Amino acid sequence: MSAMFARAAAAASSRRRHLGRRVNRAVGNTLFGLLIVAVMVPFLFPLYWMIASSFKVQAIISASPPVWIWQPTLQNYVGILTKVPFFSYAWNSLVIALSATVLSLLLGLPAAFSIARYRQYALASAILIVRILPGIAYIIPWYIIFSRAKLIGTYPTLILVHVMVTLPLTIWIMISFFEDLPSELTDAALIDGCSILGVFARVAVPLTLPGSMVAAIFSFNSSWNAFVSSALIGGIRIKTLPVIAYGMRAEYSLDWGGAMAAATVIVLPVIIFTLLVQKHIVRGLTFGALKG
Amino acid sequence: MPMQTAPRAPAVAAGRREHVTTGGLLGFVDRHADLLFPAPAVLLIFVLLIFPLVYTFVLSFHYWFLSATSTPRFIGLDNYARLLADERFHHALWHTFYFTALAVSLETLAGLGLALIFNRNFPGRGLLRTALVFPMMSTPMAVVLVWALMYEPTLGIFNYFVKSLGFKPILFLADKGIVIPAVVLVDMWFATPFVMLVLLAGLSSLPIEPYEAAVVDGASRLQLLRYLTLPLLRPTIVVAVLFRTISALQTFDHIYALTGGGPDKASETVNLIGWFQIIENNDMGYASTILVALFLVVGVASLTLLSFRR
């Protein structure tokens, strides 16, 4: 009997100790949770504010103190879609970004395969060095040449200047993916009588499809976001979405709601793409230098 | 190239081109894959990138306005002499360094903090990590619009908080002393997640043994961070700082869209004055000189940083 009491008492005291530890841990967890909220808010608030303001009428946008609950309106979206020929700008951006991406994959995949297979790293470094130089420096000569040839504001010239960025990016991302490919697989195919071209097309490319996906999304993203090259080479004839967004800013934006709606529409595809490549984002952002 | 029609030696000697090659075009492609595969890309990169670079460099020794019908006139180092005497360039250079130093150091510190937080396991970590990526993928020219709205002196939300704390409203983008820190804040929003992700990748690949040994020896968390994590992470930190410095020195979009270089040129960077020479003055020779200078700055900064790697 007394042994049982003793055991019960011991259990109770250990429970108390456990409770103490648990309270400590709960406090720690709460503090850590608060810390996470504190670091996340600054990064998410601007995006929230952009989307929220795109559903507000002008009076609510300019209200002070800020209004946190309001009757959402679609008038800003209707406004930009009807007043600004938004679709044609979106179409420009889409055509250019898709073409630059496809062209970069077509040329970049074989190049990256060869660099990874034959260890042509001097070539790879040369391509990287070229990439870290100021972008406007490349644009000047093309701006001059295309101006003289009256080729400012055509799709092919714009696609070409975007390929300057997307092709090196694609090559660098794909080198790291091709390097990860086990050499047993390619060697086995070679021994079976497959040609190098066959190894590339039937083994290497299919097995690195996730890599091509990452390269494609990063290419698309950098073309979609590009301002300087689009503004200079697109001229007044072909305007892309970032150029239009800058135009709205330059107007001293009387129409904040419209600007927020436009910004939301421009950023939305990019955010969707981010979700698709989140696993490989570090590799994409560091040109394949790091494999997060 | 050697070994064409001669009967093939046994596979031993031929090295990597040992496999049976067919004749014709396919065989040719196969034998020269190491040249032919990269050729189109290299050719395009050469035409698109190397040639313009040389052209820009050559142009920097010429006097030439694009609108004029005249041809470029060689003027030797005159553009460079003009650059060295140009006060607008001096200020722009200073703004570029100030912006880069402030942005990169703050982004590295904040990114390191974030990486340490996200290196721990907690519910919702993957989701929040993805959410942190949104800023750096988002279109600068679009998101800058919401920053302009938040910085707006009368209806912006920042000044609402400033006023409710009892201070006078701040002219974030119109005050010469505040404009660069204000733009740095925007840059931090775009780029801190990048530093964080790079450092997080570095943290997750650190060896575990030194930590076990240190814990057995009774090291505190702070000591672990100071004497283990930071030294081990150093190469990764250098990579992150290098990437950030290269792009911070050339930051264009958000500075141009938020301030246009103002107020009164107080936020003009080297990249911006290069752009203005093209857009406003059509002074191609001098614009090229400015960009060659920027290229030198970026190159020297990169090499300096790389020397810290070891």
Side-chain angles (χ1 to χ4, degrees):
Chain A
M1 221 25 181
S2 67
M4 226 171 87
F5 275 123
R7 229 178 296 146
S13 89
S14 102
R15 217 176 299 142
R16 231 170 295 137
R17 244 181 294 134
H18 273 296
L19 193 70
R21 220 176 288 157
R22 222 181 302 158
V23 168
N24 266 345
R25 192 180 300 164
V27 171
N29 281 346
T30 313
L31 286 179
F32 191 66
L34 287 176
L35 178 69
I36 288 172
V37 172
V39 299
M40 289 306 291
V41 165
F43 289 101
L44 294 183
F45 182 78
L47 290 175
Y48 162 75
W49 202 238
M50 176 181 83
I51 297 168
S53 304
S54 74
F55 293 107
K56 289 175 183 171
V57 294
Q58 186 77 6
I60 293 181
I61 291 178
S62 39
S64 179
V67 180
W68 299 99
I69 297 166
W70 71 100
Q71 183 75 46
T73 170
L74 282 176
Q75 72 170 50
N76 295 321
Y77 288 92
V78 175
I80 58 159
L81 293 180
T82 50
K83 267 182 271 166
V84 188
F86 203 78
F87 282 117
S88 72
Y89 301 130
W91 176 251
N92 288 342
S93 276
L94 193 70
V95 168
I96 292 161
L98 278 180
S99 314
T101 303
V102 170
L103 203 59
S104 301
L105 282 177
L106 282 178
L107 299 175
L109 282 176
F113 175 78
S114 166
I115 288 169
R117 180 170 172 82
Y118 303 118
R119 302 181 194 287
Q120 298 158 325
Y121 293 119
L123 187 60
S125 316
I127 295 172
L128 186 63
I129 289 170
V130 150
R131 232 339 258 136
I132 64 169
L133 306 176
I136 300 181
Y138 303 112
I139 304 289
I140 291 183
W142 290 117
Y143 179 59
I144 294 169
I145 292 168
F146 292 152
S147 301
R148 298 233 143 165
K150 304 251 180 296
L151 284 172
I152 294 288
T154 61
Y155 280 131
T157 49
L158 256 175
I159 292 164
L160 273 181
V161 294
H162 282 205
V163 165
M164 297 195 326
V165 176
T166 57
L167 180 57
L169 183 69
T170 302
I171 293 178
W172 265 88
I173 292 175
M174 287 315 294
I175 290 173
S176 81
F177 277 95
F178 282 129
E179 277 173 343
D180 285 357
L181 205 64
S183 58
E184 291 85 12
L185 283 173
T186 47
D187 289 346
L190 281 179
I191 289 164
D192 288 348
C194 203
S195 64
I196 295 278
L197 205 61
V199 170
F200 170 71
R202 281 187 230 122
V203 181
V205 170
L207 286 178
T208 54
L209 269 186
S212 295
M213 177 91 163
V214 174
I217 285 175
F218 272 91
S219 290
F220 187 92
N221 185 261
S222 68
S223 169
W224 184 264
N225 290 353
F227 171 75
V228 170
S229 53
S230 300
L232 273 179
I233 307 296
I236 47 166
R237 267 191 289 171
I238 296 192
K239 291 189 175 176
T240 60
L241 291 175
V243 177
I244 290 308
Y246 174 74
M248 290 183 148
R249 167 73 185 132
E251 270 167 30
Y252 260 101
S253 294
L254 295 165
D255 179 19
W256 285 107
M260 293 305 109
T264 304
V265 174
I266 297 171
V267 170
L268 208 63
V270 168
I271 286 187
I272 293 167
F273 284 152
T274 306
L275 296 173
L276 294 178
V277 286
Q278 52 145 326
K279 254 196 201 162
H280 301 286
I281 217 121
V282 173
R283 201 188 286 214
L285 285 167
T286 58
F287 274 62
L290 293 166
K291 299 167 184 176
Chain B
M1 279 289 173
M3 61 170 191
Q4 245 139 36
T5 44
R8 258 165 218 295
V12 200
R16 61 171 195 251
R17 287 169 191 162
E18 72 196 53
H19 55 87
V20 190
T21 10
T22 44
L25 187 64
L26 265 180
F28 180 79
V29 169
D30 236 49
R31 264 175 276 123
H32 304 289
D34 56 340
L35 294 177
L36 291 175
F37 272 47
V42 169
L43 220 67
L44 193 65
I45 287 174
F46 184 83
V47 172
L48 284 178
L49 291 168
I50 315 257
F51 153 71
L53 202 70
V54 174
Y55 192 103
T56 304
F57 185 70
V58 170
L59 212 53
S60 73
F61 298 99
H62 287 77
Y63 176 88
W64 191 39
F65 284 80
L66 184 62
S67 50
T69 43
S70 62
T71 45
R73 180 159 54 85
F74 183 77
I75 52 167
L77 289 169
D78 281 11
N79 278 331
Y80 288 88
R82 178 178 164 196
L83 188 73
L84 290 178
D86 188 348
E87 266 189 32
R88 193 175 176 188
F89 173 71
H90 299 164
H91 289 141
L93 199 60
W94 159 243
H95 298 148
T96 306
F97 287 143
Y98 176 32
F99 171 85
T100 303
L102 196 61
V104 175
S105 52
L106 290 175
E107 285 156 13
T108 309
L109 281 177
L112 182 64
L114 275 175
L116 290 171
I117 292 173
F118 275 80
N119 198 34
R120 291 176 62 168
N121 232 331
F122 57 87
R125 183 174 75 147
L127 201 72
L128 293 184
R129 205 190 71 145
T130 307
L132 274 184
V133 177
F134 294 158
M136 63 183 160
M137 297 287 278
S138 60
T139 313
M141 274 302 167
V143 180
V144 147
L145 292 169
V146 75
W147 280 96
L149 173 61
M150 293 194 298
Y151 275 146
E152 230 284 336
T154 51
L155 49 90
I157 190 158
F158 285 153
N159 262 339
Y160 164 70
F161 290 122
V162 169
K163 278 185 276 185
S164 47
L165 289 173
F167 297 102
K168 273 190 180 168
I170 299 171
L171 300 171
F172 292 98
L173 302 175
D175 184 319
K176 283 179 152 194
I178 295 174
V179 64
I180 289 189
V183 181
V184 164
L185 188 69
V186 180
D187 196 67
M188 282 181 74
W189 185 80
F190 277 110
T192 304
F194 167 79
V195 179
M196 173 261 194
L197 282 182
V198 171
L199 297 185
L200 196 59
L203 279 176
S204 63
S205 63
L206 291 187
I208 195 152
E209 294 82 10
Y211 286 87
E212 288 171 349
V215 168
V216 170
D217 290 346
S220 72
R221 273 197 172 179
L222 215 60
Q223 284 171 321
L224 288 182
L225 178 67
R226 168 75 185 76
Y227 295 105
L228 271 180
T229 308
L230 288 183
L232 286 172
L233 204 57
R234 187 181 151 132
T236 320
I237 295 177
V238 172
V239 170
V241 170
L242 180 70
F243 270 91
R244 277 308 307 143
T245 306
I246 289 171
S247 42
L249 286 170
Q250 307 174 35
T251 304
F252 185 85
D253 289 12
H254 35 285
I255 300 182
Y256 182 59
L258 277 176
T259 72
D264 191 20
K265 304 186 170 69
S267 62
E268 263 188 359
T269 57
V270 178
N271 223 349
L272 252 71
I273 58 171
W275 166 269
F276 287 137
Q277 287 299 338
I278 303 173
I279 284 295
E280 290 171 0
N281 302 347
N282 275 329
D283 190 343
M284 293 309 179
Y286 192 48
S288 302
T289 313
I290 292 170
L291 291 166
V292 170
L294 178 61
F295 162 51
L296 287 179
V297 167
V298 176
V300 169
S302 313
L303 291 176
T304 315
L305 278 169
L306 277 175
S307 68
F308 281 111
R309 185 142 194 201
R310 282 284 127 210

